[in-house]
Amino acid sequence: MSNVLKKDAFILPEGVIYLDGNSLGPLPKGVAARVQKMLSDEWGQMVIRGWNGAGWMDQPAKIGDQVGRIIGAPTGSVVMGDTLSIKVFQALASAVKMRPERRVILSDTGNFPSDLYMAEGLVGLLAQGYELQTVAPEEVAGAINETHAAVLLTEVDYRTGRRHDVAAITKTAQAQGAVMIWDLAHSAGALPVDLLGSGCEMAIGCTYKYLNGGPGAPAFIYVRPDLMDSIEPALSGWLGHRQPFDFDLNYQPGLGIERMRVGTPPIIQLAALEVAMELWEDIDMNELRAASLALQEQFIFEVERDAPQLTLASPREGAIRGSQVSFQFEHGYAAMQAVIDHGVIGDFRAPDIMRFGFTPMYLDAADISAAVKVIADVMNNRLWDNDKYKTRSKVT
Ligand SMILES: *Cc1c(COP(=O)(O)O)cnc(C)c1O
């Protein structure tokens, strides 16, 4: 058995097989005590003295280094803060300033809508002929040209799990003179990432999915070390200033990755994330990837054998798939509600995708077989065909 399995380190609800860690990771056991201690000993007793005395001000860079370790980023090149949508805007705004003579941002139609919405918002604000261009994911590499200021892509498609070739696309983008930004929302904690080796200029991602930081956990941003002291932060908040407590009237960017900070960091949420990140310290990402692929292969094999009503929507080849498997089914929403009601939690993405995430830190082969049994029961006995499963909730 692989040593990436640490089921005991998590609180997993009784009677549930959790295949949705790609959307919101479960609660690591140590979080409650750490957060409670932070509240009682730090906020409760130190009050404002906690910023210095409990090291709150250093948390964004310190935890950034913990995240950096599993995405191939050197110490001092990652910092935490804000939400991923904000980090998309921040990275893009800096990227277009690096290529002032160019006007086009390239992305793909498989990207998560928020990334595209933030890019649209930015080009609207910049005006001056800026535009966002999107092409099909398969066409991205061939579409990159010398009009592109920046290429913004999410490595793993949130809907299908299809995976881009980070190294190859980065090379192509840079050969055309574009700045490459990778969104690692579905990569960080899911598969090995070699940011420094890829040479990309920037990367961003969230920590509540595979990293188990909890709902609302802060996002991260990486800047390639040689660019850190020249990159211009458009979100020029006071905590990215070189000397925030000089209260200087003019903005002067801080040194290194600190300049990508914006405002007051979420200290309670960072306390939870710090505990969650400690679980990664002895994880070998190659081992984790191998374990994830084994679970996915087993799942695909058993679902196709036992629930033939479902059609695989993810790439069949493991190497070009992230850590999730999606199936298409006409009544996918109702079917997923029925599956959840019977103890297997996955999620649904419009229009007809049933999505399942694989997280070898707390799932094993027996869980996969038990989950497929439930899915097959729902499909073969049409348990989904019930009015109570057909009304859509706000969050799907
Ligand atoms: C999950 C996800 C987001 C969500 O952004 P938030 O600001 O954290 O809500 C954005 N982009 C991608 C690619 C995602 O997968």
Side-chain angles (χ1 to χ4, degrees), residues 310 329-342 344 347-349 351-354 375 378-379 382-393 396:
L310 303 183
F329 177 57
E330 192 189 343
H331 306 283
Y333 182 78
M336 185 53 87
Q337 297 322 299
V339 166
I340 294 170
D341 206 20
H342 290 80
V344 176
D347 60 22
F348 171 80
R349 286 295 174 263
D352 58 359
I353 297 278
M354 297 172 71
I375 294 165
V378 165
M379 297 311 302
R382 291 181 70 92
L383 301 182
W384 56 266
D385 196 2
N386 182 320
D387 282 345
K388 72 175 170 179
Y389 297 137
K390 296 180 182 172
T391 317
R392 292 218 186 170
S393 305
T396 64

Side-chain angles (χ1 to χ4, degrees), residues 62 87 94 108 150 173-174 216 234 238 271 337 371 381-382:
K62 186 173 156 212
K87 287 325 203 193
S94 291
D108 73 44
Q174 293 178 340
W238 74 303
Q337 297 322 299
N381 297 310
R382 291 181 70 92

Side-chain angles (χ1 to χ4, degrees), residues 219-235:
F220 63 84
I221 185 164
Y222 158 84
V223 177
R224 204 176 68 198
D226 61 299
L227 301 171
M228 272 178 333
D229 287 326
S230 58
I231 203 159
E232 289 182 54
L235 296 179

Side-chain angles (χ1 to χ4, degrees), residues 85 108-120 158-159:
S85 302
D108 73 44
T109 52
N111 207 344
F112 189 76
S114 197
D115 293 37
L116 302 179
Y117 301 159
M118 295 307 280
E120 279 175 13
Y158 75 103
R159 238 179 304 180

